[in-house]
Amino acid sequence: MSGVRQQVLPLLPAGAVPVGRLAGLVEDEAGGVVFICGQATFAFAADDTVGRRLAAV
């Protein structure tokens, strides 16, 4: 088995707040979405306190 040696592109949507090199957060009045390498990986509603805390981990 061999690993992929290609570097990951740090793709983030416009307006995302960077969280490290590869992740970003987009928030509005409806909630937020966490992006990692340009892929939406987690979303939460504005009134979802537990979801917001989970996204922070």
Side-chain angles (χ1 to χ4, degrees), residues 11-23:
L11 300 173
L12 293 178
V17 177
V19 181
R21 278 186 342 114
L22 302 176

Side-chain angles (χ1 to χ4, degrees), residues 17-47:
V17 177
V19 181
R21 278 186 342 114
L22 302 176
L25 173 66
V26 176
E27 278 189 291
D28 61 12
E29 60 279 344
V33 181
V34 177
F35 289 88
I36 299 178
C37 298
Q39 180 178 0
T41 58
F42 191 81
F44 56 91
D47 61 347

